Amino acid sequence: MQSYTIGQAARLLGVSPDTARRWADAGRVATHRDESGRRLIDGRDLAAFSIEVAQAGPGEHEVPYTSARNAFPGIVTAVKLGDVAAQVEIQAGPHRLVSLLTREAVEELGLEVGMQATARVKSTSVHIDRT
């Protein structure tokens, strides 16, 4: 299973490394140390925590997570395999993206919960609502 440094986790969660470090210090997400003493977060733990953070919504002083050029880097939170098709969910900061693709593609990419992945969106029809 892939593990993430505090800095990598912060980027995937859309927060500063200091915020991620404070969350780890407070026990909100479990960490362990590697052989060189760096704190790491297990991929499955980070996937579950990313859902919790997204459901809580942005904090009073947090800057909302944004994407550039329709790329959403995040962490895989669910993989559902069918006989031919598959469904993959990625939590990218506060954004939950769901993609339907072939089972073969999921297997070739080796996608599993806890892995880092980037969802790229291309569309000929994008709707924007004014809020």
Side-chain angles (χ1 to χ4, degrees):
M1 172 51 54
Q2 186 169 354
S3 293
Y4 297 90
T5 64
I6 296 289
Q8 291 171 323
R11 186 173 45 79
L12 293 170
L13 294 168
V15 299
S16 72
D18 286 336
T19 297
R21 194 172 297 107
R22 281 192 300 273
W23 286 343
D25 291 345
R28 289 190 61 192
V29 62
T31 63
H32 63 278
R33 298 220 181 242
D34 67 6
E35 56 278 348
S36 64
R38 293 183 309 164
R39 283 198 299 181
L40 300 174
I41 301 170
D42 179 74
R44 288 191 182 274
D45 291 339
L46 184 58
F49 185 65
S50 71
I51 293 170
E52 177 187 323
V53 168
Q55 289 174 344
E60 188 177 313
H61 301 289
E62 293 178 15
V63 176
Y65 184 81
T66 62
S67 69
R69 297 189 179 166
N70 300 325
F72 295 84
I75 188 165
V76 176
T77 57
V79 176
K80 299 172 187 163
L81 296 174
D83 291 337
V84 176
Q87 178 178 314
V88 176
E89 294 182 24
I90 294 177
Q91 192 70 45
H95 308 290
R96 176 179 164 259
L97 296 110
V98 180
S99 178
L100 300 176
L101 54 161
T102 64
R103 179 186 181 120
E104 180 181 10
V106 171
E107 290 171 346
E108 283 180 9
L109 291 169
L111 295 177
E112 61 183 44
V113 172
M115 291 183 69
Q116 183 175 346
T118 300
R120 299 200 184 271
V121 179
K122 181 179 179 187
S123 177
T124 57
S125 177
V126 176
H127 299 270
I128 299 174
D129 296 332
R130 181 177 172 196
T131 54

